[in-house]
Amino acid sequence: VVEDPNYAFPSDKTICPGEITALNTFVDPTAGYVWTLQDGTVVSTEAIPNVSPTQTTTYILTIDNGLCQPVTDEITIVVRQDFSLILNHDNLALCQGSEVVLFADAVDSQGNDVSGTAVWSPQGVNGGSVTVGATTTFVVTFTDPGNCFTHTDSFTVTVVPPFLLDSLTATPDTVFEGEIIDLQAFTIPAGLDGPTYTWSMNDDVFDETIVSI
């Protein structure tokens, strides 16, 4: 009894770009091997051909010992592709003690999610939140499962110092009906960059540091 021709595909069928992999791990000395692409192009007639595809490729094996029916099978070699990092934040300005969520997503050129490992520095885990006590730049390093590609990105959380509303002034402080006065707010510390002032009088609202009424 003549056994069917034999072969064994490798267990790991995913490679990095430029990496070389063997399509077979077992040689049947009584058989001939023909490896083709899906369009019929002959790739090799070796028992264990080494290939280095630039994109995910399916190879079709036909193995024949001249006695039994030829055996046909196929193997797909997946080539990992580069990816882009997307952070859930641009730079932020927050109050001291605020929480911020650290999350980085990786997508390929077709917009598909790419699995991998995200490591944040100086602290935090992907998808977790951290409390900011001082201005901090958070850096994430993302690596795909095959260690083919690694990308780094970052964003900065600027901690806004606390302030107090120190006083309000009216200039002049005494007027006749119908005259205009200027209202001004003062903070501690003075000269803050970027605060928003909202004044309200009856149904009127003013978003200015100095309001003339």
Side-chain angles (χ1 to χ4, degrees):
V1 176
V2 178
E3 295 182 354
D4 288 336
N6 209 347
Y7 63 97
F9 289 147
S11 57
D12 186 3
K13 304 179 182 67
T14 302
I15 63 173
C16 300
E19 188 177 349
I20 297 173
T21 186
L23 296 180
N24 184 27
T25 62
F26 179 84
V27 177
D28 185 340
T30 67
Y33 296 76
V34 178
W35 302 85
T36 61
L37 300 178
Q38 289 179 308
D39 63 3
T41 301
V42 176
V43 175
S44 177
T45 56
E46 298 178 0
I48 305 179
N50 292 315
V51 296
S52 182
T54 58
Q55 60 186 1
T56 297
T57 303
T58 297
Y59 298 91
I60 300 171
L61 167 64
T62 301
I63 180 172
D64 188 1
N65 62 8
L67 298 173
C68 304
Q69 286 291 327
V71 174
T72 300
D73 202 351
E74 65 181 41
I75 177 176
T76 298
I77 301 299
V78 176
V79 181
R80 295 194 183 278
Q81 299 299 313
D82 203 353
F83 58 86
S84 299
L85 268 184
I86 301 175
L87 304 186
N88 64 328
H89 292 298
D90 293 322
N91 294 335
L92 299 172
L94 298 175
C95 296
Q96 189 176 41
S98 298
E99 288 194 347
V100 60
V101 176
L102 307 178
F103 185 75
D105 192 20
V107 295
D108 62 20
S109 58
Q110 285 75 45
N112 301 312
D113 287 337
V114 175
S115 61
T117 302
V119 178
W120 286 90
S121 175
Q123 59 178 330
V125 296
N126 206 41
S129 62
V130 296
T131 301
V132 289
T135 296
T136 305
T137 296
F138 293 94
V139 180
V140 61
T141 301
F142 194 99
T143 304
D144 69 82
N147 292 317
C148 299
F149 300 97
T150 297
H151 291 290
T152 299
D153 204 348
S154 65
F155 70 94
T156 298
V157 177
T158 301
V159 173
V160 179
F163 70 94
L164 297 175
L165 184 60
D166 181 36
S167 61
L168 302 176
T169 63
T171 307
D173 59 2
T174 302
V175 295
F176 293 103
E177 183 178 355
E179 292 184 326
I180 295 175
I181 63 173
D182 292 333
L183 303 178
Q184 186 171 4
F186 294 89
T187 60
I188 299 176
L192 291 175
D193 182 20
T196 299
Y197 298 85
T198 301
W199 300 81
S200 61
M201 182 182 67
N202 298 328
D203 294 330
D204 296 323
V205 177
F206 309 92
D207 294 324
E208 301 174 18
T209 304
I210 302 175
V211 178
S212 298
I213 59 174

